[in-house]
């Protein structure tokens, strides 16, 4: 049965992929975006644009009128927790039937990182809202490595502050596929799913897989978190974001994000996408 679903963060990595998969499955999608430019890569068939801003809660509530479910996703930002609470409150006022919240792996009120604590605060607000809900807690995305495509192409190197830790990174396509299921099928109310890839790999191991696929060497260079933070700021990232992301990566470097879960397979009935498959699909970016 076709449903109408609002996707916030619809122009981002996960949001845009979810919009594509929902529309392809025959559902009517309302994509919450800031402006036309941010929606340029979204499909048009079965997709309606809802223009708004997280900082203007009234636009969220207006976008929710008449929808069956909401996928609640906010970008990494200093205001992200407050924005998520506004989304949940707007969904309650709009009497949305089901909210699926995009959280994060390791979300915990006493989490080491600000990102983990912020996700946990949003998760708890949703659990206490009285709404029907599902929470997805994915590990970092395989697609984040595409930010390193330039240095891989030009220098054959990956520069990140993750030490030799392994991490069970997950493909964005799998996160979106899980989201489609929990948004459109029964049986997921009040469930929390922790999403990972099929194996935990160090960045040196990821570099070796990319090197084998492109037929040219790729080395991983472990840089200090402070150097990564300065590099992100020099590329125009706001200071809060750069510091918070560097702090998060320093924690990943302790090995805290290496656990492999079975939730993707349990929901999709197949193994999660492997890192080798991911590289094969995006090989042009790494050549």
């Amino acid at each position: 049965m076709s449903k109408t679903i609002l996707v916030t963060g619809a122009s981002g990595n996960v949001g845009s992929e979810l919009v594509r998969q929902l529309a392809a499955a025959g559902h009517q999608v309302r994509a919450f975006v800031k402006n036309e430019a941010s929606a340029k890569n979204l499909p048009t068939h079965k997709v309606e644009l809802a223009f708004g801003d997280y900082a203007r809660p009234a636009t969220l509530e207006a976008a929710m009128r008449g929808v069956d479910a909401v996928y609640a996703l906010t970008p990494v930002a200093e205001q992200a927790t407050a924005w998520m609470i506004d989304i949940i409150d707007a969904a309650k006022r709009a009497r949305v039937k089901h909210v699926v919240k995009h959280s994060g792996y390791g979300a915990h009120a006493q989490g080491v990182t600000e990102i983990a604590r912020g996700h946990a605060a949003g998760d708890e607000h949703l659990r206490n809202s009285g709404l029907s809900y599902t929470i997805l807690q994915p590990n970092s995305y395989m697609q984040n490595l595409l930010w390193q495509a330039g240095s891989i192409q030009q220098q054959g190197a990956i520069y990140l502050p993750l030490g030799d830790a392994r991490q069970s990174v997950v493909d964005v396509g799998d996160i979106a596929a899980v989201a489609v299921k929990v948004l459109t099928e029964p049986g997921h109310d009040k469930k929390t799913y922790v999403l990972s890839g099929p194996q935990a790999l160090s960045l040196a191991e990821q570099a070796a897989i990319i090197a084998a696929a492109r037929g040219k060497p790729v080395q991983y260079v472990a840089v200090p978190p402070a150097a990564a933070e300065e590099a992100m700021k020099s590329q125009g990232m706001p200071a809060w974001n750069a510091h918070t992301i560097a702090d998060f990566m320093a924690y990943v470097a302790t090995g805290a994000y290496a656990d492999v879960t079975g939730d993707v397979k349990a929901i999709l009935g197949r193994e999660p996408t492997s890192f080798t498959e991911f590289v094969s699909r995006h090989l042009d970016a790494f050549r």
Side-chain angles (χ1 to χ4, degrees), residues 113-136:
T113 68
E114 189 165 351
I115 289 175
R117 295 191 298 272
H119 280 312
D123 293 354
E124 190 65 13
H125 192 74
L126 180 56
R127 291 187 180 108
N128 293 331
S129 68
L131 290 161
S132 171
Y133 71 85
T134 310
I135 296 170
L136 303 186

Side-chain angles (χ1 to χ4, degrees), residues 19 25 31 53 97 109 123 130 144 156 166 187 197 216 218 226 236 261 275 281:
V19 168
D53 192 311
K97 296 182 182 71
D123 293 354
N144 289 349
R166 287 186 166 87
K216 291 185 285 187
V218 179
T261 76
F275 188 76
R281 285 206 315 268

